[in-house]
Amino acid sequence: MTKVLFIIFHGFDPNNGISKKISYQVNALKACCSEVHLCYMDESTSKKRLVDNIVIADYGRGICSKIKKRIEFQSITKYAISNKIEFVYIRSNHNANPFTIGMVQKMKKAGMKVAMEIPTFPYDLEYKSQGISRQIFQDKLFRKKFASYLDAIITFSDYDYIFGRKTIRISNGIDFDSIQLKEKKNDTSNELNLLGVAEIHKWHGFDRVVSGLAEYYSTTQNYIVKFHIVGYFFSENDEEYFNNCISNSKMEQYVIFHGKKHNQELTNIFNTCDFGIGSLGRHRVGISKIKTLKNREYAARGIPFIYSEDDSDFNDKPYVLKAPADDSPINIKQIIDFYKNLSITPLEIRNSILNLSWKNQMNHVIEEIYK
């Protein structure tokens, strides 16, 4: 049994989408005959670093605590060595610096395997699009040196090397026990309901759907198409931009916001909708190949969907409609025709991705690390 320490540099909230993904990964590693411990931050009162609910460092409050949490990693190294950790799995927070490099150096000196997951790559333009490039200035200076001490970089892209380090390529996985299959196909003889679920950024390209609806309704239509959105906007600028798109095109009655939804409430919305809207604007941040969680959730739910990037797990699936990777309005009539010509069932869609379970993905990581 391999002893694994899974490190994240932020908080852990079971209701948060990223934290849910991490939970699935941790559980999958446990299912791969590993003993797994999760290291994370808790900033609810004072700033603390914990492993499995046990505090390993308390940084207190105020300005000093903000500095300490970014430079103090001796507590993690000490825990890993004293608990005889064999494999360290780091989820990148784009925080390569002399202090994180020192942490990895000590882990390697103690005989541990160390790999780092980069959730999205490349990511420089993503930060630039949000106007926060300064946050990764230090990362740009040190990330190649940091990578040189790693055994591998784990990526959801198709890159063989990142920052000069060989990659382990996996897919974003699915925890099938946590995602309910759509109950049945709805009656779509008079209406089709589109669904986008996301923490909404401009790179999701949801404005392209609004523009497509505006074009569709520019002539009288008896067949109704609505766009349901579940989630929240990453920034006020993103929200203002999207709301302007809706108001300028007068599509208020066809775009429905549901806010953040989880568990059964989310399942209920999936059951009333028919077609998923994946990412339609990744080209805006320089990404052409990516394996998003959202594509996998739509498939696990059993609904067809559209996206514009290159996702090798889905490019050839009959229930997937590919959109051009540009800013053109989405062709709503094409979605309607595509959906009406589909004969595949929700269960058949779900069964087509059983190989994408988190257990399979994390088992591949373990196999590659110890190959």
Side-chain angles (χ1 to χ4, degrees):
M1 178 175 285
T2 305
K3 296 188 72 173
V4 180
L5 180 62
F6 197 118
I7 301 174
I8 61 176
F9 298 102
H10 51 74
F12 186 74
D13 176 3
N15 292 318
N16 174 275
I18 292 174
S19 294
K20 282 185 178 180
K21 170 189 169 180
I22 292 165
S23 292
Y24 300 151
Q25 290 178 288
V26 168
N27 290 337
L29 283 168
K30 290 177 179 177
C32 296
C33 298
S34 298
E35 177 187 322
V36 189
H37 303 276
L38 177 64
C39 178
Y40 60 96
M41 289 295 301
D42 179 2
E43 302 185 37
S44 56
T45 53
S46 63
K47 289 177 170 56
K48 302 182 183 72
R49 200 180 301 278
L50 296 86
V51 175
D52 300 338
N53 298 319
I54 298 172
V55 177
I56 63 170
D58 189 338
Y59 306 125
R61 303 180 184 183
I63 295 176
C64 288
S65 68
K66 294 179 180 180
I67 297 173
K68 287 178 181 177
K69 77 170 189 175
R70 289 176 170 83
I71 67 173
E72 192 286 312
F73 301 105
Q74 178 62 29
S75 57
I76 302 178
T77 307
K78 183 178 178 181
Y79 175 90
I81 293 173
S82 62
N83 285 274
K84 296 182 172 54
I85 295 296
E86 300 165 84
F87 174 38
V88 178
Y89 188 107
I90 300 172
R91 189 179 196 274
S92 171
N93 200 33
H94 311 142
N95 58 339
N97 58 54
F99 307 101
T100 51
I101 289 171
M103 176 185 73
V104 173
Q105 285 178 313
K106 291 173 184 175
M107 290 171 171
K108 292 296 298 177
K109 187 175 181 180
M112 302 175 206
K113 298 280 189 180
V114 184
M116 180 175 70
E117 172 194 312
I118 298 181
T120 303
F121 185 84
Y123 53 82
D124 289 348
L125 284 178
E126 186 175 303
Y127 275 78
K128 185 177 180 180
S129 71
Q130 299 172 42
I132 53 174
S133 293
R134 64 186 182 280
Q135 292 190 10
I136 58 167
F137 175 74
Q138 195 174 52
D139 178 79
K140 288 181 179 181
L141 293 177
F142 292 102
R143 58 195 181 190
K144 286 188 177 180
K145 183 175 182 180
F146 183 89
S148 69
Y149 292 103
L150 300 171
D151 291 282
I153 286 178
I154 298 156
T155 181
F156 304 105
S157 69
D158 290 333
Y159 289 90
D160 292 319
Y161 289 85
I162 293 177
F163 305 142
R165 175 56 61 200
K166 189 170 179 60
T167 63
I168 298 174
R169 292 178 293 168
I170 65 172
S171 294
N172 264 307
I174 287 292
D175 183 272
F176 289 96
D177 292 335
S178 68
I179 297 178
Q180 292 186 40
L181 178 68
K182 183 177 172 65
E183 293 174 351
K184 60 180 179 180
K185 279 191 170 184
N186 302 315
D187 178 5
T188 57
S189 55
N190 298 308
E191 181 174 301
L192 189 71
N193 287 280
L194 315 178
L195 174 63
V197 184
E199 177 190 271
I200 308 163
H201 297 256
K202 284 185 181 179
W203 64 72
H204 287 110
F206 285 177
D207 56 290
R208 297 182 64 191
V209 180
V210 176
S211 299
L213 287 171
E215 285 195 355
Y216 177 72
Y217 286 113
S218 64
T219 58
T220 302
Q221 299 291 343
N222 293 322
Y223 191 84
I224 301 300
V225 179
K226 295 180 180 178
F227 181 25
H228 299 258
I229 299 174
V230 174
Y232 60 95
F233 290 91
F234 174 77
S235 70
E236 291 182 0
N237 288 338
D238 288 338
E239 185 172 10
E240 182 181 5
Y241 171 79
F242 191 69
N243 286 335
N244 286 339
C245 290
I246 296 171
S247 59
N248 292 340
S249 58
K250 297 178 171 60
M251 287 293 105
E252 290 89 346
Q253 71 182 100
Y254 301 110
V255 180
I256 300 98
F257 288 99
H258 295 272
K260 290 178 67 175
K261 299 294 178 184
H262 302 290
N263 304 323
Q264 192 57 47
E265 284 186 311
L266 179 59
T267 294
N268 292 341
I269 295 173
F270 265 101
N271 286 336
T272 60
C273 291
D274 312 294
F275 190 87
I277 303 297
S279 296
L280 298 170
R282 290 286 178 174
H283 59 280
R284 295 172 177 175
V285 289
I287 294 175
S288 59
K289 297 181 179 182
I290 190 171
K291 299 179 179 182
T292 66
L293 275 172
K294 201 50 54 192
N295 289 350
R296 282 138 190 83
E297 181 173 0
Y298 291 145
R301 295 277 185 179
I303 68 171
F305 53 96
I306 185 173
Y307 62 83
S308 64
E309 68 270 6
D310 182 357
D311 185 336
S312 57
D313 291 327
F314 289 102
N315 289 338
D316 61 347
K317 294 291 191 288
Y319 51 83
V320 164
L321 181 62
K322 288 295 294 294
D326 56 35
D327 288 337
S328 61
I330 295 300
N331 189 327
I332 300 300
K333 185 64 166 59
Q334 184 184 29
I335 292 178
I336 295 169
D337 293 339
F338 179 81
Y339 187 86
K340 286 185 174 180
N341 289 321
L342 272 181
S343 59
I344 194 168
T345 67
L347 181 59
E348 288 172 330
I349 293 176
R350 184 182 177 102
N351 285 343
S352 73
I353 61 160
L354 294 180
N355 63 305
L356 296 180
S357 70
W358 270 122
K359 182 179 179 181
N360 285 345
Q361 302 309 310
M362 301 312 288
N363 188 59
H364 178 62
V365 171
I366 295 292
E367 289 178 345
E368 288 295 308
I369 284 293
Y370 286 98
K371 184 167 66 176

